[in-house]
């Protein structure tokens, strides 16, 4: 299909991508200023990727134990929902569409694309890789997005890995696992 952008899947095209990654330490949207996300570069971007870590208070073990038992660590809860609404309030009125949002316990990953590019977006997928507590729990891990835009395949990863200098080997092992376990990256 052709439109005012004149793009077809065979055209080479460059895109301006803005990436936000932030360990928010359980803060809420009312604790941040909109300019932390929405600045002059945002308006000129084609793709905005947001990777938040520690959306939830990871010290609240009872809340997360219940999620672990119910295998609900990929289901958005109140904090994820609040952040999703806040980010949509910022970006949608400025010409972006939320393509995908994927939570994993404390992680939250969002992909926004300019509305006029949406007819050229296809094959959207998301994958979660849990690396916490023996690879079974999502307090640590990654969210992988994949999509195709005008024939170009994209893969994006948001990770929350083990902290501290002594966890260097574990972080590398977990990062390798996240990349190798996702069909999106192959």
């Amino acid at each position: 299909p052709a439109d005012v952008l004149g793009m077809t899947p065979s055209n080479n095209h460059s895109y301006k991508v803005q990436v936000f990654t932030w360990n928010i330490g359980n803060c809420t949207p009312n604790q941040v200023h909109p300019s932390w996300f929405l600045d002059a570069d945002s308006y000129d971007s084609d793709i905005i990727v947001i990777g938040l870590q520690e959306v939830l208070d990871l010290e609240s073990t009872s809340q997360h134990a219940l999620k672990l038992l119910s295998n609900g660590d990929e289901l958005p809860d109140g904090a994820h929902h609040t952040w999703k609404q806040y980010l949509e309030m910022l970006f949608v009125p400025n010409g972006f569409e939320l393509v995908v949002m994927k939570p994993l316990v404390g992680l939250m990953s969002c992909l926004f694309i300019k509305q006029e590019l949406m007819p050229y977006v296809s094959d959207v997928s998301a994958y979660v890789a849990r690396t916490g507590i023996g690879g079974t729990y999502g307090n640590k891990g990654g969210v992988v997005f994949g999509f195709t835009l005008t024939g170009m395949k994209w893969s994006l990863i948001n990770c929350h890995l083990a902290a501290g200098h002594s966890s260097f080997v574990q972080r590398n092992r977990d990062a390798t696992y996240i990349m190798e376990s996702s069909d999106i990256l192959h």
Side-chain angles (χ1 to χ4, degrees):
D3 70 358
V4 295
L5 297 174
M7 292 186 292
T8 64
S10 62
N11 288 13
N12 288 330
H13 189 80
S14 61
Y15 298 100
K16 185 171 181 182
V17 180
Q18 190 169 29
V19 177
F20 297 91
T21 181
W22 183 18
N23 184 323
I24 61 174
N26 193 35
C27 77
T28 61
N30 63 0
Q31 294 173 293
V32 301
H33 194 273
S35 66
W36 292 7
F37 289 104
L38 202 57
D39 60 14
D41 289 333
S42 301
Y43 296 110
D44 293 333
S45 297
D46 299 304
I47 300 168
I48 295 178
V49 181
I50 299 172
L52 302 178
Q53 303 87 39
E54 295 190 19
V55 172
L56 302 173
D57 178 8
L58 295 178
E59 299 301 317
S60 176
T61 55
S62 61
Q63 174 186 3
H64 301 299
L66 288 173
K67 285 187 130 192
L68 176 61
L69 292 173
S70 67
N71 197 21
D73 60 359
E74 296 176 45
L75 301 174
D77 67 0
H80 293 97
H81 183 72
T82 300
W83 273 101
K84 176 182 175 279
Q85 285 182 317
Y86 178 75
L87 295 170
E88 285 179 316
M89 179 208 54
L90 292 178
F91 293 113
V92 171
N94 288 291
F96 292 91
E97 186 170 320
L98 178 62
V99 176
V100 64
M101 184 280 272
K102 188 71 171 172
L104 175 62
V105 185
L107 284 177
M108 179 176 164
S109 303
C110 296
L111 171 65
F112 289 88
I113 296 180
K114 280 282 192 179
Q115 290 171 347
E116 64 259 22
L117 294 174
M118 289 307 297
Y120 306 102
V121 175
S122 63
D123 303 320
V124 177
S125 59
Y127 171 80
V128 297
R130 295 168 191 81
T131 61
I133 308 175
T136 60
Y137 187 47
N139 63 318
K140 299 291 184 187
V143 175
V144 182
F145 285 154
F147 66 99
T148 302
L149 177 60
T150 62
M152 182 187 311
K153 293 184 180 207
W154 295 71
S155 298
L156 308 159
I157 303 173
N158 176 23
C159 295
H160 192 212
L161 304 174
H165 188 291
S166 63
S167 298
F168 175 77
V169 172
Q170 183 66 43
R171 275 194 302 278
N172 285 337
R173 187 177 313 127
D174 290 347
T176 299
Y177 169 76
I178 292 166
M179 290 186 287
E180 289 178 352
S181 65
S182 169
D183 289 342
I184 295 170
L185 299 174
H186 299 112

